[in-house]
Amino acid sequence: MRLRKYTALMRSQIKVDLAYTAWYWASMFSVTMRLFILYFFWQAVYANKTDVSGISLSTMLTYAILATMIDQFRGGAGRDLARMIKQGAIAIELLRPYHLLDKLLAQDIGSKVSVLFRSILPLVLVSILFIGVDRPQSWLAGLAFVGSVLFAVLLATLIDLLVGIFAFYTVNIWGLSVLQDAVITIMSGAIVPLTLFPDWFQTISLYLPFASLVYVPVAIYTGEIGASGILQALLVQIGWLIGFFVLLRITFALAIRKVTVFGG
């Protein structure tokens, strides 16, 4: 019964997202243009080279395509939470018969399903028809890639919600959201592989959760993380998931003590 109500919330969010056809087509066009920009950029970089830091053009294009796809799943739930807090709707939400974080997570999963149809499928079609994507290094790498992407999407949502909780203290988290997007975009490897950065930057990034959002799944797919390292990479992602889940619950429980309701 409890699962049914969250499933219903997820389905309703999918319907809401797909109802806005203009937004649907605009998102599809935007992500397709981003993909072509990345394609021509890397074509220009490799114009007189066979590889960059040991990475061939086909591998780099595969990395760029997959990283762009995964990056489409980032963000949303934390901003929804912050908006509720700023507008005062949080008081009503806390009285309803569900845990607010579970509701936001269910709706976010629904949004991610919408993104799958709105952005990911067009990217897959364009990539196969016009650009070309390397196959995974092995069936194990392909299977692990799917699992790693699921962990990455959930982890991104937990991080986003954790940032959203700061609205209990600051009311407006626009600055924090901008900082969050910038840090994740760079340190997750969403733009370029982390291996292209200096060694010290790679070391710092790999010890932080952000690498698990984009770099780890794609590195598993391309073979940069070999078969012997796949299990460790997945366990690290699971560890970050558990850690952020516990931290999120504790932080939320402490933050809602600051809610004060006036009137009746």
Side-chain angles (χ1 to χ4, degrees), residues 209-223:
F210 310 118
S212 294
L213 300 181
V214 176
Y215 174 75
V216 169
V218 181
I220 289 174
Y221 185 97
T222 59

Side-chain angles (χ1 to χ4, degrees), residues 45 66 152 224 263:
V45 171
L66 295 177
E224 189 169 342

Side-chain angles (χ1 to χ4, degrees), residues 73-204:
F73 290 115
R74 176 157 50 98
R79 291 178 176 84
D80 291 340
L81 175 58
R83 184 169 59 252
M84 289 179 190
I85 296 168
K86 185 177 181 179
Q87 296 176 351
I90 186 71
I92 302 299
E93 290 292 335
L94 291 175
L95 295 174
R96 289 179 173 166
Y98 47 64
H99 194 290
L100 179 56
L101 292 180
D102 293 338
K103 175 208 173 183
L104 290 169
L105 181 60
Q107 289 181 323
D108 192 65
I109 292 174
S111 294
K112 299 299 188 283
V113 174
S114 303
V115 168
L116 179 65
F117 292 100
R118 188 175 66 234
S119 300
I120 306 304
L121 290 183
L123 280 176
V124 171
L125 289 175
V126 170
S127 301
I128 292 174
L129 294 176
F130 300 103
I131 299 176
V133 181
D134 293 341
R135 293 182 178 181
Q137 291 297 302
S138 64
W139 67 268
L140 176 62
L143 189 62
F145 168 74
V146 174
S148 183
V149 169
L150 292 176
F151 294 152
V153 171
L154 288 173
L155 180 58
T157 298
L158 295 180
I159 293 174
D160 199 46
L161 283 170
L162 189 61
V163 173
I165 287 176
F166 279 96
F168 280 107
Y169 304 96
T170 65
V171 181
N172 194 327
I173 63 162
W174 180 83
L176 280 174
S177 296
V178 172
L179 178 62
Q180 173 198 358
D181 289 340
V183 170
I184 290 179
T185 299
I186 296 171
M187 303 195 78
S188 69
I191 299 179
V192 296
L194 294 179
T195 49
L196 295 185
F197 288 97
D199 291 339
W200 63 268
F201 187 88
Q202 293 180 43
T203 302
I204 293 173

